Amino acid sequence: MKVIICGAGQVGWQIARHLSGELNDVTVVDNNPDLVRRATETLDVQGIAGFASYPDVLNRAGARDADMIIAATHSDEVNMVTCQMAHSVFSIQRKIARLRSKSYLEAIHSDLYRRDHLPIDVVISPEREVAAAAMRRLSAPSAFDTELFMDGKAQLLGIRIDEDCPIVNTPLRQLTDLFSTLSSIVVGVRREGSLFAPESEDQLFVGDECYVFTNVKDVARTMEVFGKTQKKQDRVVIVGGGNVGLEVARTLEESESRVRAKIIERDRHCAELAAEALERTIVLNGDGLDAALLREAGIDRADAMLAVTDDDRANMLAAVRAKAEGCALAIALINDPSMVALMGPLGIDAYINPRATTVSSILRHIRHGRVRQVYSIGDAEAEVIEAEVLSTSPMAGQRLRDIDFPEGVLVGAVRKGDELLRPTGSLRIEEKDVVAIFAMAKDVPEVERLMQVSIDFF
């Protein structure tokens, strides 16, 4: 597949990394020559320096025979014009645009994005993706990572193994015997910085970070088995009232749980805009690192604190300060994956990676087969892929034990109709079943083959 990626920033670079690693023909376009050089020197991609919305630049990037264009520059308008050029001048079939401005995303304007107006096939909103990720974090506060699958029926939980975990040093195969009615399956383990798909004889050790797939009905019990307690989040303090913080606050206001939220925003104008846009959320103007202001916001009584400014370091320091002031749960927005390693030593409970959430959303629309969802784990180390099994798939009609999965692949859940099943060796996979598969990055192409990659289903 030939793909043009417009924008070589964090999101564009990660998408290029994913697609070039899977032997796609990728060209990166950016008006910053340094970013283009970084992409071409570190990835197996071609690079063009220039404005992505210019027809001559797109022509040099190979738009005449491109299968897809992904417009992920920092400008909404450039992304929109780029998709228009891709459609009108070059007849590129698949067009994906990242749009950040809420004005472009209002439901009343949804009719704007169609072939006879603005020909954008998929619109990705980073703010909405991050807000959704924040809500998922709050729904499982003891997990450092979480994502929903199977239309909300299954959940992936990232759980850190502590000394008081009851199943430490227990072979994974014994968990089925010990908890026969529990649907949970450990699909990934990170040990000493390395992520791998465990085998049945592997054990969990203190300090491990494991990824567990479970039925949403079993989340509370799963967390208990892993030595974690769950608490309802009624009071939330948000540090940062920009696009992300505002979207999170709006989502909290619209939720049925009636969470009481407060926002701390340093910029006065931004704080005033947030106060006007929100109905029940209290907005405080000041520095989120100010201990006195945090106390005024009731940080010691808060069930959770979300630090979602555009500065990773400020978010991490705010989370540390909140924990020092007695906040039960501190979550930081972190763009730079190299800083995630500092979370444990600093006592930060969980993080949100906006780049990963946006990348996952884009990958969902790129994968071959009947892919319904893709979630990127860690620094693009693995993916969880949810897809419908096609009649032409090598998996169709086979029992799980007879399917030739690579070593780095594990099935987390299988859905037959409305029934969510725990995968066992004897379970037969049929056409139209939906499966959720954990795959190390190197094994993703093989998973796509098993899903029967075909242009008919692209």
Side-chain angles (χ1 to χ4, degrees), residues 13-14 17-18 190 337-338 353 355 376-382:
W13 189 88
Q14 279 290 351
R17 177 183 173 186
H18 274 276
R190 188 189 306 281
S338 67
N353 186 337
R355 180 178 66 183
S376 180
I377 290 179
D379 189 16
E381 299 158 278

Side-chain angles (χ1 to χ4, degrees), residues 25 82 131 163 169 235 243 267 296 320 348 434:
D25 183 355
T82 298
E163 292 182 359
N169 302 332
R235 297 183 178 89
N243 289 336
D267 182 86
E296 182 183 341
V320 171
I348 301 173
V434 178

Side-chain angles (χ1 to χ4, degrees), residues 208-455:
D208 286 353
E209 294 180 347
C210 62
Y211 290 88
V212 184
F213 226 101
T214 186
N215 190 311
V216 290
K217 297 178 181 178
D218 289 339
V219 167
R221 189 170 166 224
T222 299
M223 299 302 284
E224 182 181 341
V225 166
F226 282 82
K228 305 292 184 179
T229 57
Q230 293 281 85
K231 182 183 177 183
K232 187 179 178 182
Q233 310 299 299
D234 293 320
R235 297 183 178 89
V236 176
V237 175
I238 302 169
V239 175
N243 289 336
V244 173
L246 189 59
E247 190 66 33
V248 171
R250 279 200 189 98
T251 305
L252 288 172
E253 285 192 345
E254 294 169 1
S255 68
E256 298 178 357
S257 54
R258 306 289 292 185
V259 175
R260 285 175 285 180
K262 295 179 181 178
I263 287 181
I264 298 175
E265 169 53 46
R266 187 172 185 171
D267 182 86
R268 183 174 183 81
H269 177 65
C270 192
E272 290 174 349
L273 291 177
E276 292 174 3
L278 299 167
E279 297 180 4
R280 301 194 311 273
T281 304
I282 297 172
V283 180
L284 303 175
N285 178 217
D287 191 345
L289 296 176
D290 186 340
L293 187 58
L294 286 171
R295 294 190 198 105
E296 182 183 341
I299 197 67
D300 59 324
R301 301 186 304 277
D303 298 306
M305 189 281 289
L306 295 169
V308 292
T309 75
D310 57 3
D311 187 327
D312 286 0
R313 292 171 177 81
N315 292 337
M316 297 181 76
L317 288 174
V320 171
R321 177 58 61 88
K323 294 290 287 187
E325 294 295 326
C327 184
L329 176 71
I331 302 172
L333 186 148
I334 301 175
N335 284 281
D336 184 353
S338 67
M339 302 190 72
V340 173
L342 299 175
M343 282 182 43
L346 292 176
I348 301 173
D349 300 292
Y351 72 97
I352 302 168
N353 186 337
R355 180 178 66 183
T357 58
T358 305
V359 168
S360 294
S361 297
I362 293 174
L363 287 176
R364 189 181 313 151
H365 301 284
I366 291 176
R367 290 282 175 252
H368 293 90
R370 292 279 173 83
V371 173
R372 296 156 52 105
Q373 187 167 354
V374 175
Y375 186 62
S376 180
I377 290 179
D379 189 16
E381 299 158 278
E383 292 180 14
V384 178
I385 302 172
E386 176 189 330
E388 179 183 333
V389 177
L390 304 172
S391 60
T392 50
S393 167
M395 297 172 60
Q398 298 285 324
R399 297 186 187 276
L400 279 177
R401 66 164 67 97
D402 299 325
I403 299 174
D404 187 21
F405 289 116
E407 288 185 4
V409 173
L410 286 174
V411 177
V414 177
R415 182 177 176 182
K416 290 180 176 287
D418 291 330
E419 187 179 7
L420 188 68
L421 302 175
R422 186 180 191 277
T424 60
S426 60
L427 182 63
R428 189 178 297 277
I429 303 299
E430 305 289 354
E431 179 188 357
K432 295 187 178 180
D433 286 353
V434 178
V435 296
I437 297 177
F438 173 94
M440 298 301 295
K442 63 181 177 59
D443 297 313
V444 168
E446 177 61 15
V447 171
E448 285 197 303
R449 188 193 70 79
L450 289 171
M451 295 299 180
Q452 190 54 51
V453 180
S454 170
I455 194 65

Side-chain angles (χ1 to χ4, degrees), residues 8-180:
Q10 293 177 339
V11 170
W13 189 88
Q14 279 290 351
I15 291 294
R17 177 183 173 186
H18 274 276
L19 296 183
S20 64
E22 295 164 17
L23 304 181
N24 291 288
D25 183 355
V26 178
T27 301
V28 173
V29 179
D30 200 290
N31 66 339
N32 186 332
D34 292 335
L35 291 180
V36 173
R37 190 179 306 111
R38 182 190 70 155
T40 56
E41 289 177 352
T42 57
L43 304 172
D44 184 16
V45 301
Q46 300 176 65
I48 299 291
F51 288 92
S53 56
Y54 289 4
D56 62 314
V57 173
L58 290 178
N59 188 48
R60 284 193 290 128
R64 295 285 176 194
D65 58 350
D67 301 299
M68 177 184 296
I69 191 164
I70 301 170
T73 74
H74 293 294
S75 168
D76 288 358
E77 289 74 21
V78 169
N79 293 339
M80 295 162 77
V81 172
T82 298
C83 287
Q84 183 71 65
M85 289 294 174
H87 173 77
S88 301
V89 180
F90 300 104
S91 301
I92 297 177
Q93 290 299 308
R94 191 76 166 156
K95 297 161 288 290
I96 298 176
R98 181 175 69 165
L99 302 182
R100 305 190 66 172
S101 174
K102 180 173 174 57
S103 183
Y104 290 134
L105 301 170
E106 295 285 356
I108 58 172
H109 305 313
S110 60
D111 191 49
L112 178 65
Y113 308 109
R114 66 185 198 191
R115 289 187 176 274
D116 53 345
H117 289 159
L118 269 174
I120 302 175
D121 300 299
V122 179
V123 173
I124 303 295
S125 167
E127 282 72 24
R128 289 184 176 178
E129 297 294 339
V130 171
M135 295 301 292
R136 291 192 294 271
R137 293 293 186 278
L138 293 175
S139 70
S142 298
F144 67 82
D145 197 0
T146 182
E147 179 67 37
L148 290 172
F149 292 87
M150 306 287 187
D151 296 325
K153 292 179 180 291
Q155 192 162 0
L156 179 73
L157 301 168
I159 304 174
R160 191 171 289 106
I161 304 300
D162 300 322
E163 292 182 359
D164 56 355
C165 177
I167 58 173
V168 168
N169 302 332
T170 303
L172 295 179
R173 60 177 172 76
Q174 291 186 13
L175 296 184
T176 304
D177 300 328
L178 292 171
F179 308 101
S180 59

